[in-house]
Amino acid sequence: MNCQPSEAPCIKICEHDAFKVLGGAITLDYDKCTKCRDCVEVCPIGIISIQ
Ligand code: SF4
């Protein structure tokens, strides 16, 4: 919860619309995620883990 959803770099960089904001929390839709890892690179606190 480091970033405001409107400013979150993971949401901005994802070309696959895989992030959603639910109840103020940023969530990841694994059905849309292609595991490109672009969001991993831009997360300022390195919290995103893509297996
Ligand atoms: S790894 Fe998945 S969620 Fe992250 S930017 Fe790529 S497609 Fe989007």
Side-chain angles (χ1 to χ4, degrees), residues 7-43:
E7 301 295 328
C10 54
I11 295 176
K12 290 182 176 180
I13 202 163
C14 183
E15 296 179 352
H16 306 279
D17 194 30
F19 288 99
K20 294 282 180 285
V21 180
L22 296 174
I26 300 171
T27 62
L28 178 57
D29 181 344
Y30 286 96
D31 289 334
K32 290 186 174 180
C33 177
T34 64
K35 300 183 178 179
C36 70
R37 302 182 64 84
D38 284 350
C39 56
V40 175
E41 301 298 324
V42 298
C43 179

